[in-house]
């Protein structure tokens, strides 16, 4: 396993570990979770089998606790929650192949446990074959112009599934074929011709998600720029699918084309480059029209931090040092931006919060020490610990302001994700789970 440095002072390191253990103890009792979900005035999104927001997320949290504190018995909770997730799939079969809520997520959770208990590898292999069959039977390309982000993105689509299929070693031949199939789909999407001046990855009005914020901001369709649902996530997926020596011209050119396109969508403030969630389609349909959307906050899902990491991964895959350096500059600007705002736009969690920013900062720190970055990790951990609410069921809340405050035990927005970020910052164990966010 890759060596992992801790960049916190001793006192803060121990405090972060104490809080992580407190959160784990709260999450260890399924009855506490069930009671909190049932009694909540505003229940969080909870899908029992889901990696992002279900029992599978707790598998990851407790397996990571076991890796960090191997003699404390946390692995038993990981296996217990894996059984709960499996039972949930028997009650309601998983229809979605995706990473965060589908079959790919169950595979990743099971694979994470199998690394320390090889008895689970047979289950992993069986699930991989099921996933490969689902991919083979799916018509990924559309006959008409445009795409839905559910088809290609990290959360639900091809990008996240590619992340899973290239996570660790597998002897399942079908998994390699499935990864090649999905990567070919993404490369064709990136490198396809413009039609009436519109890139193939545009999301037209008819394919907008049934979520009011997208339909209000982009009534005529748009290009999505983020990691979670946009082209930054596609960049990460393609970069992670190949070792640098495997990259042929047919891969490097489309990948660099998309990186250049994404960089061209940046808008600049006093700190440096940042991005909106998406850009509208021009009425002339020739180029995306920037300046029409509010810039995204400093988060993993949308905005500069996640995009910086995607560009870093592409730089490594392409052996492009200029792109690597650009990604560092983008992330440094993002840290300054968030610090100047007092991190007020951020929740506690991974998706759009401090935990996600900490995890990205830790990854960049491992790739090359930078004094400002290392100081930021300490400051970010301190700010996250200030969000600790001992009176809350899980110790941390997902505070979305006007949208509500949620007691969420899950990984993407809830306490399990906060626990994982605290361990990434405070324990000398690589957080390989962050493949869920396409960071490594």
């Amino acid at each position: 396993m890759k060596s992992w440095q801790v960049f916190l002072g001793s006192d803060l390191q121990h405090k972060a570990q104490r809080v992580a253990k407190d959160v784990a103890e709260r999450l260890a009792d399924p009855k506490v979770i069930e009671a909190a979900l049932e009694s909540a005035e505003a229940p969080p999104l909870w899908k029992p089998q889901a990696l992002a927001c279900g029992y599978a997320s707790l598998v990851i949290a407790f397996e990571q606790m076991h890796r960090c504190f191997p003699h404390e018995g946390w692995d038993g909770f990981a296996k217990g929650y894996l059984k709960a997730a499996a039972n949930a799939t028997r009650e309601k079969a998983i229809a979605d192949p995706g990473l965060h809520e589908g079959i790919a997520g169950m595979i990743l959770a099971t694979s994470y446990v199998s690394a320390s208990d090889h008895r689970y590898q047979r289950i992993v292999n069986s699930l991989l074959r099921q996933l490969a069959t689902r991919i083979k039977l799916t018509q990924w390309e559309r006959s008409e112009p445009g795409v839905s982000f559910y088809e290609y993105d990290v959360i639900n689509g091809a990008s996240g599934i590619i992340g899973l299929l290239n996570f660790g070693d597998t002897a399942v031949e079908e998994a390699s074929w499935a990864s090649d199939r999905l990567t070919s789909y993404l490369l064709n999407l990136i490198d396809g011709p413009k039609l009436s001046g519109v890139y193939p990855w545009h999301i037209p009005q008819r394919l907008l998600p049934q979520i009011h914020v997208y339909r209000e901001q982009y009534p005529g369709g748009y290009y999505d720029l983020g990691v979670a649902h946009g082209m930054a996530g596609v960049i990460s997926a393609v970069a992670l699918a190949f070792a640098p020596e495997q990259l042929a011209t047919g891969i490097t050119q489309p990948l660099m084309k998309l990186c250049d396109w994404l960089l061209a969508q940046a808008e600049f403030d006093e700190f440096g480059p940042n991005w909106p969630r998406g850009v509208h389609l021009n009425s002339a349909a020739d180029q995306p029209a920037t300046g029409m959307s509010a810039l995204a906050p400093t988060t993993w899902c949308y905005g500069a931090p996640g995009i910086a990491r995607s560009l870093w991964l592409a730089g490594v895959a392409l052996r492009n040092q200029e792109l690597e350096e650009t990604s560092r500059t983008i992330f440094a600007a993002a840290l300054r931006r968030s610090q100047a705002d007092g991190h007020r736009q951020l929740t506690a969690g991974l998706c759009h919060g401090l935990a996600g920013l900490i995890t990205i900062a830790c990854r960049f720190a491992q790739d090359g020490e930078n004094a400002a970055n290392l100081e930021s990790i300490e400051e970010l951990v301190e700010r996250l610990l200030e969000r600790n609410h001992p009176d809350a069921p899980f110790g941390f809340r997902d505070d979305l302001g006007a949208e509500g405050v949620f007691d969420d035990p899950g990984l993407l927005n809830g306490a399990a994700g906060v626990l994982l970020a605290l361990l990434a910052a405070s324990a000398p164990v690589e957080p390989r789970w962050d493949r869920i966010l396409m960071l490594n």
Side-chain angles (χ1 to χ4, degrees):
M1 190 173 291
K2 182 179 178 180
S3 63
W4 188 262
Q5 289 183 270
V6 174
F7 298 107
L8 302 182
S10 178
D11 289 346
L12 185 57
Q13 177 187 13
H14 292 147
K15 182 178 181 181
Q17 290 186 3
R18 284 197 306 272
V19 173
K21 287 186 177 184
D22 175 68
V23 173
E25 288 168 0
R26 294 164 183 257
L27 293 172
D29 189 344
K31 293 181 180 178
V32 172
I33 292 175
E34 292 167 8
L37 293 172
E38 289 174 3
S39 63
E41 292 183 14
L45 179 65
W46 181 256
K47 298 183 178 181
Q49 75 278 16
L51 183 62
C53 53
Y55 292 125
S57 65
L58 301 176
V59 175
I60 300 295
F62 282 106
E63 175 61 22
Q64 192 65 18
M65 285 291 294
H66 172 60
R67 295 182 185 192
C68 294
F69 310 106
H71 305 297
E72 297 184 8
W74 297 107
D75 56 330
F77 297 105
K79 293 170 184 176
Y81 279 123
L82 185 59
K83 183 177 180 180
N87 288 338
T89 67
R90 281 190 281 271
E91 294 174 10
K92 183 180 180 181
I94 303 176
D96 180 0
L99 179 60
H100 281 235
E101 296 182 10
I103 297 172
M106 275 295 295
I107 296 172
L108 195 146
T110 311
S111 176
Y112 215 59
V113 172
S114 75
S116 57
D117 189 337
H118 299 306
R119 293 175 298 173
Y120 288 88
Q121 189 59 47
R122 179 179 59 83
I123 301 173
V124 172
N125 293 345
S126 175
L127 290 170
L128 279 169
R129 292 187 181 97
Q130 291 180 40
L131 177 61
T133 299
R134 182 74 61 87
I135 290 167
K136 186 175 183 178
L137 295 174
T138 299
Q139 176 58 47
W140 293 92
E141 292 81 6
R142 284 182 170 269
S143 58
E144 70 279 12
V147 289
S148 163
F149 67 47
Y150 294 112
E151 298 159 3
Y152 69 75
D153 73 3
V154 167
I155 302 295
N156 307 282
S159 294
I161 300 171
I162 288 171
L164 171 275
L165 291 170
N166 292 280
F167 182 71
D169 297 325
T170 177
V172 177
E173 184 178 343
E174 295 93 330
S176 177
W177 175 90
S179 178
D180 290 346
R181 172 69 182 94
L182 293 180
T183 306
S184 175
Y185 158 66
L186 291 183
L187 289 170
N188 288 336
L189 183 68
I190 298 168
D191 210 29
K194 284 184 178 181
L195 296 175
S196 301
V198 178
Y199 288 103
W201 57 88
H202 80 281
I203 300 170
Q205 191 277 335
R206 73 181 190 282
L207 296 177
L208 287 172
Q210 297 297 323
I211 302 172
H212 69 87
V213 64
Y214 292 99
R215 292 184 169 267
E216 288 177 359
Q217 291 187 11
Y218 311 110
Y222 78 117
Y223 297 102
D224 198 296
L225 306 181
V227 176
H229 297 299
M231 301 316 291
V234 173
I235 289 171
S236 295
V238 176
L240 291 169
F242 300 98
E245 61 272 13
Q246 296 175 304
L247 289 178
T249 302
I251 301 167
T252 59
Q253 289 181 350
L255 181 57
M256 196 65 230
K257 167 187 172 180
L258 189 57
C259 290
D260 288 340
W261 178 87
L262 185 60
L263 285 165
Q265 312 315 311
E267 300 184 30
F268 290 79
D269 58 17
E270 65 268 32
F271 304 103
N274 197 7
W275 282 260
R277 293 172 180 268
V279 287
H280 294 264
L281 304 182
N282 243 348
S283 57
D286 183 35
Q287 292 288 339
T290 57
M292 298 177 69
S293 304
L295 294 177
T298 310
T299 63
W300 165 76
C301 54
Y302 285 104
I307 288 174
R309 191 62 190 174
S310 295
L311 294 172
W312 165 267
L313 293 171
V316 171
L318 295 166
R319 293 175 171 162
N320 185 322
Q321 292 184 350
E322 182 180 357
L323 191 55
E324 291 180 32
E325 190 56 40
T326 296
S327 73
R328 287 186 181 281
T329 300
I330 293 167
F331 187 65
L335 289 174
R336 293 193 300 271
R337 184 180 296 111
S338 191
Q339 288 163 349
D341 180 58
H343 311 295
R344 288 178 296 177
Q345 295 187 62
L346 303 183
T347 66
L350 286 173
C351 185
H352 36 261
L354 283 161
L357 196 54
I358 287 168
T359 306
I360 297 171
C362 287
R363 273 290 169 192
F364 270 113
Q366 305 299 320
D367 294 325
E369 295 184 28
N370 173 286
N373 187 10
L374 302 188
E375 291 173 5
S376 294
I377 293 174
E378 288 224 341
E379 192 258 345
L380 290 168
V381 170
E382 288 171 350
R383 298 292 82 76
L384 179 58
L385 292 173
E386 289 172 0
R387 308 282 183 97
N388 184 217
H389 295 281
D391 57 331
F394 311 120
F396 289 86
R397 290 189 162 119
D398 185 24
D399 187 347
L400 298 179
E403 295 183 41
V405 179
F406 303 91
D407 289 312
D408 187 340
L411 184 148
L412 195 58
N413 295 310
V418 174
L419 180 159
L420 287 165
L422 289 173
L423 294 180
S426 67
V429 178
E430 184 185 12
R432 296 194 67 236
W433 61 265
D434 68 0
R435 174 56 66 92
I436 299 165
L437 306 179
M438 308 294 278
L439 299 184
N440 73 77

